[in-house]
Amino acid sequence: MQSTRSRILDYLEEHPRSSTAEISRYLDLTESNIRYHLDILLERGQILITDKRSPGGAGRPILLYNLASPALGDNIYPLVIHLMDWIAQSNHPEEILQELAGDIVGQESSLPANRIKRYNQAIEFLDKRHYRASWEARAEGPQVSLRHCPYQDLAKLNPLICQLDEHILTMLFGGEMKLTQRRHFGKDPFSPCIFNPPDEQIEKRLKF
């Protein structure tokens, strides 16, 4: 018997841009049950919210779901693996990652001088890219939590992805940021990666 998530993926393959209610009716399951499985599929990067529909009255817009590209089938994933391996084996991987981070961040590196505004806009930038980010004030500087890894499968295989995130956060937050807690893949899918400014008094760091 197919799992509920497999049935949802099969349904979305045949019925793109479907709402929670439509999936619920087709699978004959409650909307709360469907939302639970949709959240997990979103976390895994298997589906995307690609559009919204007016509810036809008062209330929140209705979210519409589609399969993500990997679920549809493409060669992007192996291509990126080879590119990351090429960067790792190059003579100057850190320089390449920093340049790549600069391309990703673009004009966002010119964020407001006011720290609070800068941090909040940095979080907005990250959330647009599906990081599910947040920050909190600490004595040594901002602590940033990323509760979703948009490169999850790649990060499991190649730690350069985590180093790329360090460079992106460094540019966005205006000071060096280091990964101090890596998420626990497989144990708690919603555990965060945590980044902090480097502290020379603390030598316990994750080793790449």
Side-chain angles (χ1 to χ4, degrees):
M1 180 180 292
Q2 276 188 307
S3 69
T4 299
R5 280 165 231 160
S6 295
R7 294 173 66 199
I8 291 173
L9 292 174
D10 287 346
Y11 178 80
L12 288 176
E13 186 171 6
E14 297 294 330
H15 305 86
R17 299 182 73 254
S18 290
S19 68
T20 302
E22 290 165 344
I23 299 170
S24 169
R25 284 195 297 270
Y26 184 83
L27 298 187
D28 195 23
L29 295 170
T30 66
E31 289 191 37
S32 61
N33 190 326
I34 294 299
R35 275 193 292 270
Y36 168 78
H37 291 290
L38 288 173
D39 284 344
I40 293 175
L41 291 171
L42 283 167
E43 171 72 17
R44 292 178 176 176
Q46 292 177 274
I47 63 172
L48 298 170
I49 298 171
T50 55
D51 205 352
K52 297 178 181 179
R53 181 190 300 155
S54 170
R60 296 179 180 178
I62 298 169
L63 303 179
L64 303 179
Y65 298 87
N66 275 320
L67 292 181
S69 293
L72 290 169
D74 57 40
N75 292 322
I76 294 175
Y77 181 74
L79 173 62
V80 175
I81 289 178
H82 288 303
L83 286 174
M84 296 308 294
D85 287 341
W86 174 81
I87 293 173
Q89 294 166 21
S90 69
N91 293 328
H92 305 286
E94 279 294 324
E95 292 179 14
I96 296 173
L97 289 174
Q98 188 168 8
E99 187 172 346
L100 179 57
D103 288 341
I104 293 171
V105 172
Q107 295 181 347
E108 293 293 330
S109 58
S110 302
L111 289 168
N114 179 281
R115 285 185 299 171
I116 302 301
K117 288 184 178 179
R118 182 185 186 102
Y119 297 165
N120 288 337
Q121 288 190 30
I123 294 300
E124 288 179 16
F125 174 89
L126 292 166
D127 281 347
K128 287 179 182 177
R129 286 151 183 81
H130 316 296
Y131 280 96
R132 297 186 187 176
S134 61
W135 76 275
E136 59 181 89
R138 294 292 178 95
E140 65 276 13
Q143 176 173 283
V144 180
S145 298
L146 305 180
R147 296 193 172 276
H148 174 64
C149 178
Y151 316 106
Q152 177 171 307
D153 290 338
L154 291 172
K156 292 177 184 177
L157 299 174
N158 197 318
L160 282 187
I161 292 292
C162 302
Q163 289 174 263
L164 176 62
D165 283 342
E166 286 184 338
H167 285 294
I168 290 172
L169 292 180
T170 293
M171 292 178 180
L172 289 173
F173 284 83
E176 188 177 5
M177 300 293 287
K178 289 291 184 181
L179 177 65
T180 54
Q181 177 181 308
R182 196 191 304 269
R183 67 182 306 168
H184 303 292
F185 291 113
K187 296 180 180 179
D188 178 2
F190 299 103
S191 66
C193 283
I194 296 178
F195 296 78
N196 288 282
D199 184 345
E200 294 180 358
Q201 303 303 316
I202 300 176
E203 297 182 355
K204 188 177 180 182
R205 293 293 183 197
L206 294 179
K207 301 299 182 180
F208 292 104

XYZ file of all heavy atoms in Angstrom, residues 94 97 131 134 140 142-152 154-156 158-170 173 175-185 191-199 202-208:
503
model
N 38.055 28.341 -0.993
C 37.437 29.399 -0.189
C 37.179 30.650 -1.023
O 36.144 31.303 -0.879
C 38.328 29.738 1.008
C 38.188 28.782 2.177
C 36.812 28.859 2.819
O 36.223 29.951 2.891
O 36.317 27.811 3.258
N 34.128 29.988 -3.203
C 32.899 30.031 -2.412
C 32.519 31.469 -2.059
O 31.345 31.841 -2.091
C 33.056 29.198 -1.141
C 33.102 27.676 -1.309
C 33.409 27.028 0.026
C 31.804 27.146 -1.890
N 15.143 29.267 3.613
C 15.971 28.839 4.747
C 15.190 28.744 6.057
O 15.660 28.149 7.010
C 17.133 29.811 4.948
C 18.302 29.604 4.020
C 18.435 30.343 2.851
C 19.304 28.687 4.323
C 19.515 30.176 1.998
C 20.387 28.508 3.489
C 20.494 29.256 2.324
O 21.571 29.084 1.494
N 15.902 32.724 11.377
C 15.580 33.639 12.474
C 16.890 34.067 13.131
O 17.917 33.419 12.948
C 14.655 32.977 13.506
O 15.287 31.854 14.078
N 27.923 38.418 22.022
C 29.003 38.407 21.023
C 28.518 38.774 19.628
O 29.311 38.875 18.688
C 29.672 37.027 20.976
C 28.791 35.887 20.493
C 27.921 35.259 21.573
O 27.812 35.868 22.662
O 27.375 34.168 21.327
N 24.869 38.586 16.654
C 23.634 37.856 16.333
C 23.864 36.356 16.203
O 24.879 35.909 15.648
C 23.216 38.460 14.982
C 24.511 38.881 14.360
C 25.350 39.373 15.503
N 22.933 35.586 16.729
C 22.924 34.137 16.485
C 21.829 33.849 15.473
O 20.687 34.241 15.665
C 22.660 33.355 17.764
C 22.549 31.840 17.521
C 22.447 31.066 18.810
O 23.435 30.866 19.509
N 21.244 30.634 19.133
N 22.190 33.170 14.396
C 21.258 32.911 13.306
C 20.925 31.423 13.259
O 21.826 30.574 13.305
C 21.857 33.351 11.947
C 20.871 33.082 10.817
C 22.234 34.825 11.993
N 19.629 31.112 13.196
C 19.169 29.730 13.075
C 18.528 29.525 11.707
O 17.687 30.330 11.292
C 18.149 29.402 14.174
O 18.731 29.514 15.454
N 18.934 28.478 11.030
C 18.337 28.094 9.746
C 17.630 26.758 9.947
O 18.277 25.736 10.176
C 19.424 27.968 8.662
C 20.318 29.191 8.453
C 21.334 28.919 7.344
C 19.491 30.437 8.139
N 16.290 26.769 9.874
C 15.522 25.565 10.178
C 15.182 24.740 8.943
O 14.527 23.712 9.042
C 14.246 25.928 10.943
C 14.559 26.540 12.296
C 13.363 26.624 13.227
N 13.796 27.048 14.543
C 14.277 26.227 15.473
N 14.362 24.944 15.227
N 14.665 26.696 16.641
N 15.623 25.211 7.805
C 15.466 24.410 6.588
C 16.711 24.590 5.736
O 17.207 25.699 5.588
C 14.240 24.838 5.783
C 14.135 24.132 4.452
N 13.957 22.776 4.355
C 14.211 24.593 3.190
C 13.907 22.433 3.075
N 14.073 23.511 2.349
N 17.208 23.482 5.208
C 18.365 23.538 4.319
C 17.875 23.330 2.891
O 17.444 22.230 2.543
C 19.387 22.462 4.683
S 20.814 22.443 3.582
N 17.910 24.376 2.047
C 17.432 24.206 0.678
C 18.326 23.297 -0.155
O 17.975 22.925 -1.268
C 17.433 25.631 0.104
C 17.993 26.519 1.126
C 18.343 25.729 2.331
N 19.502 22.950 0.412
C 20.440 22.058 -0.278
C 20.664 20.794 0.554
O 21.755 20.246 0.597
C 21.783 22.757 -0.490
C 21.675 24.171 -0.978
C 21.936 25.244 -0.119
C 21.301 24.457 -2.284
C 21.843 26.558 -0.556
C 21.195 25.765 -2.727
C 21.469 26.811 -1.870
O 21.361 28.098 -2.302
N 19.620 20.332 1.224
C 19.765 19.299 2.243
C 20.539 18.073 1.766
O 21.507 17.647 2.409
C 18.385 18.877 2.734
C 18.415 17.746 3.755
C 17.061 17.495 4.377
O 16.447 18.418 4.889
N 16.580 16.274 4.315
N 22.525 17.700 -0.759
C 23.902 18.042 -1.103
C 24.746 18.250 0.150
O 25.905 17.840 0.202
C 23.922 19.316 -1.949
C 23.364 19.210 -3.364
C 23.273 20.590 -3.986
C 24.230 18.301 -4.217
N 24.160 18.894 1.161
C 24.893 19.177 2.393
C 25.309 17.892 3.105
O 26.342 17.856 3.779
C 24.055 20.045 3.319
N 24.513 16.851 2.969
C 24.869 15.572 3.586
C 26.132 14.996 2.961
O 26.913 14.310 3.621
C 23.723 14.568 3.418
C 22.467 14.892 4.193
C 21.398 13.861 3.891
C 20.076 14.184 4.551
N 19.024 13.212 4.188
N 28.444 16.916 0.895
C 29.543 17.840 0.674
C 29.451 19.023 1.637
O 28.568 19.861 1.501
C 29.515 18.344 -0.777
C 30.832 18.956 -1.185
O 31.437 19.682 -0.416
N 31.278 18.669 -2.400
N 30.377 19.115 2.602
C 30.323 20.188 3.597
C 30.602 21.569 3.021
O 30.452 22.567 3.717
C 31.407 19.790 4.609
C 32.344 18.915 3.836
C 31.492 18.175 2.849
N 31.005 21.646 1.747
C 31.205 22.961 1.142
C 29.919 23.777 1.145
O 29.951 25.008 1.163
C 31.709 22.816 -0.302
C 33.191 22.479 -0.510
C 33.533 22.539 -1.978
C 34.096 23.391 0.290
N 28.774 23.091 1.106
C 27.493 23.802 1.156
C 27.385 24.604 2.447
O 26.936 25.756 2.444
C 26.316 22.804 1.047
C 26.278 22.172 -0.350
C 24.996 23.486 1.358
C 25.917 23.132 -1.461
N 27.822 24.005 3.563
C 27.773 24.703 4.854
C 28.735 25.889 4.855
O 28.427 26.947 5.419
C 28.110 23.743 5.990
S 27.020 22.298 6.070
N 29.895 25.718 4.228
C 30.842 26.822 4.145
C 30.291 27.941 3.258
O 30.517 29.123 3.523
C 32.177 26.320 3.596
C 32.926 25.433 4.589
C 34.163 24.823 3.982
O 34.157 23.686 3.513
N 35.238 25.578 3.973
N 29.567 27.573 2.205
C 28.921 28.581 1.365
C 27.917 29.381 2.192
O 27.849 30.613 2.086
C 28.235 27.912 0.174
C 27.439 28.836 -0.756
C 28.350 29.873 -1.392
C 26.711 28.026 -1.827
N 27.139 28.692 3.028
C 26.185 29.390 3.897
C 26.902 30.344 4.843
O 26.407 31.442 5.132
C 25.358 28.384 4.701
C 24.258 27.735 3.877
O 23.912 28.285 2.816
O 23.745 26.681 4.294
N 28.075 29.946 5.346
C 28.850 30.842 6.212
C 29.193 32.145 5.486
O 29.061 33.231 6.046
C 30.130 30.153 6.675
C 29.923 29.076 7.728
C 31.227 28.489 8.222
O 32.243 28.594 7.491
O 31.240 27.923 9.329
N 29.624 32.029 4.247
C 29.986 33.217 3.473
C 28.753 34.089 3.198
O 28.826 35.322 3.272
C 30.634 32.810 2.153
C 32.044 32.313 2.298
N 33.080 33.121 2.715
C 32.594 31.091 2.083
C 34.204 32.424 2.755
N 33.933 31.190 2.379
N 27.625 33.443 2.887
C 26.391 34.195 2.622
C 25.969 34.970 3.869
O 25.651 36.167 3.799
C 25.264 33.238 2.168
C 25.574 32.699 0.761
C 23.909 33.945 2.181
C 24.629 31.614 0.291
N 25.986 34.309 5.033
C 25.583 34.973 6.273
C 26.565 36.077 6.652
O 26.169 37.130 7.175
C 25.466 33.951 7.403
C 24.330 32.934 7.273
C 24.329 31.986 8.460
C 22.989 33.610 7.156
N 27.853 35.836 6.417
C 28.863 36.857 6.705
C 28.578 38.137 5.931
O 28.651 39.251 6.469
C 30.259 36.324 6.366
O 30.596 35.263 7.278
C 31.315 37.421 6.479
N 25.088 39.729 7.275
C 25.050 40.258 8.638
C 26.209 41.207 8.940
O 26.311 41.744 10.039
C 25.006 39.107 9.646
C 23.646 38.477 9.737
C 23.257 37.507 8.829
C 22.743 38.872 10.703
C 21.985 36.940 8.880
C 21.480 38.316 10.776
C 21.096 37.344 9.854
N 29.443 40.784 9.331
C 30.513 40.309 10.204
C 30.650 38.813 10.032
O 29.699 38.135 9.638
N 31.820 38.282 10.335
C 32.060 36.860 10.095
C 31.102 35.988 10.897
O 30.879 36.226 12.091
C 33.503 36.492 10.452
C 33.870 35.071 10.055
C 35.317 34.723 10.346
O 36.018 35.571 10.944
O 35.738 33.611 9.995
N 30.528 34.991 10.243
C 29.613 34.048 10.884
C 30.132 32.637 10.663
O 30.566 32.291 9.556
C 28.207 34.183 10.306
C 27.580 35.562 10.479
S 27.218 35.963 12.204
C 25.796 34.902 12.501
N 30.084 31.823 11.711
C 30.571 30.453 11.643
C 29.486 29.476 12.088
O 28.709 29.756 12.998
C 31.805 30.267 12.547
C 33.061 30.948 12.021
C 33.562 30.260 10.772
C 34.858 30.854 10.277
N 35.326 30.192 9.039
N 29.458 28.312 11.442
C 28.528 27.258 11.831
C 28.989 26.654 13.153
O 30.104 26.138 13.249
C 28.492 26.180 10.743
C 27.628 24.952 11.008
C 26.159 25.330 11.091
C 27.840 23.904 9.923
N 28.148 26.734 14.182
C 28.509 26.200 15.496
C 27.646 25.009 15.901
O 27.962 24.321 16.860
C 28.390 27.299 16.577
O 27.081 27.878 16.526
C 29.422 28.385 16.342
N 26.545 24.807 15.199
C 25.731 23.603 15.442
C 25.113 23.164 14.126
O 24.392 23.907 13.489
C 24.620 23.885 16.453
C 23.700 22.676 16.685
C 22.597 22.979 17.673
O 22.850 23.456 18.783
N 21.355 22.722 17.283
N 25.435 21.948 13.735
C 24.894 21.401 12.493
C 23.590 20.671 12.784
O 23.444 20.021 13.823
C 25.902 20.437 11.859
C 25.630 20.099 10.403
C 26.527 18.940 9.964
N 27.934 19.230 10.188
C 28.733 19.807 9.291
N 28.254 20.159 8.127
N 29.999 20.014 9.570
N 22.635 20.774 11.882
C 21.353 20.095 12.068
C 21.549 18.584 12.072
O 22.493 18.062 11.486
C 20.361 20.501 10.987
C 20.717 20.038 9.595
C 19.711 20.517 8.590
N 18.375 20.116 8.990
C 17.275 20.575 8.429
N 17.352 21.449 7.448
N 16.100 20.165 8.823
N 20.642 17.875 12.731
C 20.740 16.426 12.869
C 19.885 15.762 11.791
O 18.705 15.492 11.999
C 20.284 15.990 14.265
C 21.052 16.647 15.367
N 22.390 16.386 15.600
C 20.686 17.580 16.283
C 22.807 17.106 16.624
N 21.794 17.849 17.050
N 20.488 15.530 10.640
C 19.761 14.898 9.552
C 19.272 13.519 9.987
O 20.028 12.725 10.540
C 20.653 14.745 8.320
C 20.990 16.044 7.656
C 22.289 16.524 7.654
C 20.009 16.796 7.037
C 22.599 17.726 7.046
C 20.309 18.003 6.426
C 21.608 18.458 6.421
N 15.471 20.260 13.212
C 16.528 20.856 14.021
C 17.279 21.884 13.177
O 17.421 21.710 11.971
C 17.492 19.775 14.520
O 18.191 19.201 13.425
N 17.743 22.980 13.801
C 18.369 24.039 13.001
C 19.870 23.868 12.849
O 20.529 23.198 13.640
C 18.068 25.287 13.835
C 18.118 24.784 15.251
C 17.550 23.375 15.201
N 20.407 24.513 11.828
C 21.824 24.838 11.788
C 21.948 26.205 12.455
O 21.153 27.106 12.176
C 22.341 24.918 10.354
S 22.623 23.300 9.580
N 22.920 26.344 13.358
C 23.090 27.592 14.102
C 24.440 28.208 13.767
O 25.467 27.525 13.747
C 22.963 27.346 15.616
C 21.534 26.871 15.940
C 23.295 28.603 16.404
C 21.301 26.545 17.398
N 24.409 29.512 13.500
C 25.611 30.255 13.139
C 25.818 31.385 14.139
O 24.866 32.050 14.545
C 25.479 30.845 11.737
C 25.372 29.821 10.643
C 24.177 29.155 10.415
C 26.463 29.509 9.844
C 24.063 28.216 9.403
C 26.360 28.575 8.823
C 25.161 27.919 8.608
N 27.084 31.592 14.535
C 27.446 32.650 15.468
C 28.714 33.355 14.988
O 29.498 32.774 14.222
C 27.712 32.078 16.865
C 26.456 31.617 17.562
O 25.685 32.409 18.085
N 26.222 30.304 17.558
N 28.948 34.588 15.453
C 30.246 35.210 15.203
C 31.335 34.377 15.856
O 31.107 33.771 16.909
C 30.121 36.585 15.875
C 28.655 36.827 15.981
C 28.032 35.475 16.174
N 32.524 34.321 15.270
C 33.600 33.513 15.863
C 34.021 34.069 17.216
O 34.056 35.278 17.427
C 34.736 33.616 14.835
C 34.435 34.856 14.066
C 32.946 34.983 14.033
N 34.317 33.187 18.139
C 34.755 33.550 19.482
C 36.089 32.872 19.727
O 36.168 31.656 19.846
C 33.720 33.104 20.514
C 34.061 33.549 21.933
O 35.218 33.955 22.155
O 33.185 33.502 22.791
N 36.500 30.258 22.399
C 35.848 28.953 22.284
C 36.480 28.193 21.131
O 36.375 28.596 19.978
C 34.334 29.095 22.048
C 33.705 29.855 23.212
C 33.671 27.730 21.910
C 32.238 30.141 23.027
N 37.172 27.146 21.408
C 37.878 26.409 20.360
C 37.054 25.248 19.818
O 37.422 24.616 18.821
C 39.199 25.879 20.906
C 40.159 26.967 21.325
C 41.494 26.430 21.826
O 41.606 25.187 21.928
O 42.388 27.218 22.129
N 35.940 24.965 20.467
C 35.113 23.846 20.036
C 34.285 24.268 18.830
O 33.238 24.855 18.950
C 34.194 23.377 21.168
C 33.449 22.088 20.825
C 32.607 21.638 21.998
C 31.857 20.366 21.685
N 30.999 19.924 22.803
N 34.753 23.974 17.660
C 34.085 24.317 16.412
C 33.888 23.051 15.596
O 34.629 22.065 15.745
C 34.930 25.300 15.600
C 35.079 26.675 16.238
C 33.757 27.401 16.263
N 33.893 28.732 16.805
C 32.902 29.457 17.230
N 31.679 28.994 17.174
N 33.105 30.671 17.709
N 32.910 23.079 14.724
C 32.730 21.972 13.799
C 33.887 21.986 12.813
O 34.270 23.025 12.305
C 31.413 22.121 13.035
C 30.144 22.006 13.880
C 28.931 22.210 12.981
C 30.081 20.654 14.547
N 34.442 20.825 12.538
C 35.544 20.688 11.597
C 35.000 20.193 10.267
O 34.224 19.248 10.211
C 36.590 19.703 12.123
C 37.185 20.122 13.459
C 37.913 21.464 13.390
C 38.543 21.821 14.728
N 39.245 23.120 14.673
N 35.420 20.814 9.160
C 34.989 20.424 7.830
C 35.978 19.405 7.268
O 37.157 19.468 7.540
C 34.905 21.634 6.902
C 33.817 22.577 7.283
C 34.079 23.768 7.912
C 32.497 22.251 7.015
C 33.079 24.625 8.255
C 31.470 23.112 7.356
C 31.777 24.298 7.980
